[in-house]
Amino acid sequence: MFDHLSPNTLNRNNSRSYITSSPAQNKPVLAQNTVAPSNSASATFVRPHLAKQQAFVRVIDSCIVLMSLWLTIFVLKQNWPGEYDWNDLYLSYGFSGLLVFQFFAEYNEVYNNWRGAPLSNQLFRIIGSWLLTLLTIILLSFFTRAVVDTSRLAIGIWSISNLVFLTTFHASYHYLVRIARPADRHTLSVGIVGANSLGHRLLDTFTAMPALGYKFAGFYDDRKPQPGRRMIGAEDQLKGGLERLYEDARSGAVETIFVTLPMAAENRVREILDKLGDTTATVFYVPDLFAFNLVSSRCVMLQGIPCFSVYGSPFDQEPLDSMLKRAEDILLSSLILCLIALPMLFIAIGVKISSAGPILFRQKRYGVDGTPINVWKFRTMTVCENGAKVTQATRNDARIKPYGAFLRKYSLDELPQFFNVIQGRMSIVGPRPHAVAHNELYRKEISQYMLRHKVKPGITGLAQVNGCRGETDTLEKMESRVTYDLRYIQNWSLLMDLKVIFLTIFQVFRDPNAY
């Protein structure tokens, strides 16, 4: 997925997309003269870039998970002989933890090529993967009742010690790699073809991530300065035109070249690549996909052909993500409904007593892919608008009675929507659903507004925990909300969902825009 908000995006996406590698530098390069599949003798294709170090790290992590549990039992046995013995149940815990951790580590991209990324990025993914592993094991133990036959002390010590060992190993490995191959001794002179916005973004990435070992030589561009093409004011970083590029590549003055010219210049790019084929420089072609406002974009390989999605859902290509999201909704909604069942009963009685009308307010809104759904709320107004015109609630709205204002302030009117989640019409976290009338209005005013419906609507969302709640009396407010909604779709993960839920709990009690 393209995450244009992360400084690690370019390195991460290139590691997935440019799939053959240079043996000397173990970095992706443009595939040339690749042996074609038997069914297409003249075609070339791109192979996934796989680092052997990743397999090594996986093996060490697996050993750590098992050995940390064995070491825990061994130490406890020395202090309490006969009470703590290694048995098949602890062995099943160890292998279960190993398999589940490897799943979540792969899911959270722990073993992807994060060269140049800060250590904190890697540790966050490892800690999150192990915490999700523990949560899964706890749930499995609870339902199988295996927890009564094992020592809680041993499992608790294993949980903490394994996390310490994993983070220590990855931190040590991170620094050992940097010591073995320091950027100041293994720098590569890099030239960028195209002094445009993408080229400058690439340069910013090199500057922010010195561990990549790239030393910027300059831009190469013979176009005239013009907005949207060659950026104005980049003359001090311009080393020359294309002829100078070919000379520097042949002489070795520039060792790695990134071509960032627009895709419209296909013939020119082809000519540049052909001439660079007469040099020993490593060449990358960076397609300017960021010219589009990518929503949950990813690279899909079809028989070696890279296909980039522009608009999509994070669940389109990963059915397992959809299953995990659904499991999260069912599990948390069931737990929450058990906790709020009695409070909801008292709220319903209060709604019935406070004003005339139905207890529940049902309004038609758009669900995933724009499919109409009925969303339930406790009624907080004296009217139930559900037609072609729906007036938003405003501060001190006369339609809202005091009891309804109390429910709205603390979002208690939203509680029936957990039944929508159980039904599969909504999710706990996602873009908040708007009335159909508002959707039809804003889809004409805001570009890509309807893309927020690529996922199920949510009870809470990234926009709500960032202050975008309440009346949208200006177009700018709705645009801000849509921006957060699309950002959520672009960067979705289970960890993000849990973070939004956590922040929502505190946001409910201190949001001045709730009325």
Side-chain angles (χ1 to χ4, degrees):
M1 175 168 39
F2 289 97
D3 176 5
H4 66 276
L5 302 173
S6 168
N8 305 322
T9 299
L10 188 58
N11 187 46
R12 180 176 64 183
N13 290 335
N14 284 343
S15 70
R16 292 179 178 179
S17 305
Y18 297 97
I19 308 193
T20 47
S21 61
S22 166
Q25 300 165 354
N26 195 28
K27 287 195 288 293
V29 298
L30 190 68
Q32 295 180 359
N33 302 324
T34 310
V35 178
S38 58
N39 61 343
S40 179
S42 63
T44 59
F45 62 96
V46 190
R47 294 191 177 94
H49 172 67
L50 301 174
K52 296 179 177 63
Q53 294 94 324
Q54 296 173 3
F56 169 76
V57 174
R58 288 176 189 271
V59 172
I60 298 299
D61 282 350
S62 301
C63 293
I64 288 175
V65 173
L66 291 176
M67 292 302 296
S68 59
L69 179 58
W70 179 87
L71 184 62
T72 298
I73 303 300
F74 177 80
V75 171
L76 291 175
K77 184 177 180 180
Q78 303 305 308
N79 294 278
W80 293 279
E83 185 176 348
Y84 294 93
D85 293 313
W86 182 264
N87 54 43
D88 291 342
L89 190 55
Y90 286 116
L91 188 63
S92 65
Y93 265 100
F95 277 104
S96 297
L98 167 61
L99 294 174
V100 177
F101 174 74
Q102 285 295 337
F103 167 77
F104 282 116
E106 181 67 26
Y107 184 81
N108 291 320
E109 302 176 332
V110 169
Y111 302 113
N112 276 17
N113 181 12
W114 296 99
R115 178 176 171 234
L119 176 61
S120 58
N121 181 291
Q122 181 83 346
L123 295 183
F124 174 77
R125 296 172 185 274
I126 294 168
I127 293 172
S129 299
W130 181 241
L131 292 179
L132 289 172
T133 300
L134 291 178
L135 178 62
T136 304
I137 292 177
I138 291 172
L139 292 174
L140 290 175
S141 301
F142 175 79
F143 288 113
T144 60
R145 298 185 179 180
V147 68
V148 299
D149 300 321
T150 56
S151 168
R152 296 177 183 178
L153 177 62
I155 300 301
I157 294 176
W158 173 53
S159 302
I160 298 173
S161 62
N162 183 64
L163 183 59
V164 172
F165 290 145
L166 284 173
T167 53
T168 301
F169 164 66
H170 280 267
S172 301
Y173 180 79
H174 177 84
Y175 286 110
L176 284 174
V177 170
R178 296 186 68 173
I179 292 173
R181 184 178 175 149
D184 56 351
R185 291 212 313 259
H186 296 271
T187 55
L188 293 173
S189 178
V190 176
I192 299 178
V193 181
N196 47 27
S197 58
L198 181 59
H200 279 79
R201 179 174 178 177
L202 197 61
L203 175 58
D204 291 341
T205 301
F206 297 156
T207 304
M209 302 168 68
L212 287 172
Y214 289 149
K215 182 180 179 182
F216 181 61
F219 287 110
Y220 294 88
D221 200 330
D222 52 12
R223 298 174 298 174
K224 295 180 179 180
Q226 183 179 348
R229 291 169 58 84
R230 175 179 151 190
M231 295 184 67
I232 301 174
E235 286 74 13
D236 56 333
Q237 296 175 309
L238 188 66
K239 195 167 184 181
L242 295 182
E243 292 302 323
R244 176 65 183 273
L245 169 69
Y246 304 140
E247 293 176 7
D248 289 348
R250 293 190 188 98
S251 67
V254 58
E255 301 165 274
T256 303
I257 299 169
F258 288 83
V259 181
T260 65
L261 294 179
M263 290 181 285
E266 176 185 356
N267 293 333
R268 195 172 197 207
V269 170
R270 190 187 305 275
E271 179 184 353
I272 293 172
L273 297 182
D274 285 343
K275 291 187 177 181
L276 290 176
D278 189 36
T279 73
T280 59
T282 298
V283 181
F284 295 84
Y285 175 58
V286 187
D288 191 10
L289 298 178
F290 302 103
F292 314 104
N293 187 8
L294 304 176
V295 177
S296 190
S297 182
R298 62 188 68 216
C299 178
V300 180
M301 303 302 296
L302 300 177
Q303 290 293 323
I305 302 173
C307 304
F308 296 91
S309 64
V310 179
Y311 304 139
S313 163
F315 312 115
D316 284 345
Q317 302 298 329
E318 295 289 348
L320 187 58
D321 282 348
S322 180
M323 294 171 59
L324 288 173
K325 175 76 165 174
R326 183 63 183 146
E328 171 198 18
D329 286 336
I330 293 176
L331 180 64
L332 292 181
S333 294
S334 300
L335 178 62
I336 293 172
L337 283 171
C338 290
L339 296 175
I340 66 175
L342 188 59
M344 285 180 66
L345 175 62
F346 289 114
I347 291 172
I349 295 173
V351 172
K352 192 63 178 177
I353 294 175
S354 63
S355 62
I359 294 174
L360 292 178
F361 166 49
R362 186 178 65 178
Q363 189 177 66
K364 193 172 293 294
R365 303 188 178 187
Y366 283 166
V368 63
D369 294 328
T371 303
I373 61 173
N374 289 316
V375 174
W376 296 330
K377 299 176 66 174
F378 282 122
R379 183 177 56 83
T380 59
M381 292 186 176
T382 57
V383 297
C384 296
E385 296 176 341
N386 193 22
K389 181 179 181 181
V390 177
T391 305
Q392 290 189 16
T394 60
R395 193 179 297 275
N396 301 320
D397 197 315
R399 299 172 298 169
I400 304 176
K401 296 301 181 181
Y403 185 71
F406 169 78
L407 296 181
R408 297 174 70 93
K409 179 175 178 59
Y410 296 106
S411 298
L412 299 176
D413 59 321
E414 311 281 357
L415 296 183
Q417 289 172 24
F418 284 102
F419 290 107
N420 286 122
V421 175
I422 293 293
Q423 289 179 326
R425 298 173 181 174
M426 292 181 63
S427 180
I428 295 179
V429 182
R432 283 291 299 155
H434 301 151
V436 171
H438 296 159
N439 281 324
E440 295 304 318
L441 169 64
Y442 288 117
R443 71 187 302 175
K444 301 173 184 177
E445 301 291 335
I446 300 175
S447 175
Q448 300 181 333
Y449 173 87
M450 290 301 292
L451 292 178
R452 64 194 301 274
H453 298 96
K454 293 299 294 182
V455 298
K456 291 179 183 179
I459 298 176
T460 185
L462 189 63
Q464 283 63 49
V465 298
N466 282 279
C468 297
R469 190 180 172 202
E471 181 186 7
T472 52
D473 52 348
T474 65
L475 188 62
E476 289 73 18
K477 287 184 179 180
M478 181 58 76
E479 287 176 337
S480 179
R481 181 176 294 188
V482 172
T483 297
Y484 279 112
D485 291 340
L486 297 183
R487 186 180 301 175
Y488 169 78
I489 297 174
Q490 290 167 338
N491 301 283
W492 177 86
S493 69
L494 280 178
L495 293 178
M496 172 177 280
D497 273 3
L498 296 177
K499 179 181 178 181
V500 170
I501 293 171
F502 178 79
L503 293 175
T504 299
I505 296 173
F506 295 95
Q507 188 79 8
V508 162
F509 298 101
R510 58 181 181 85
D511 191 346
N513 295 321
Y515 49 82

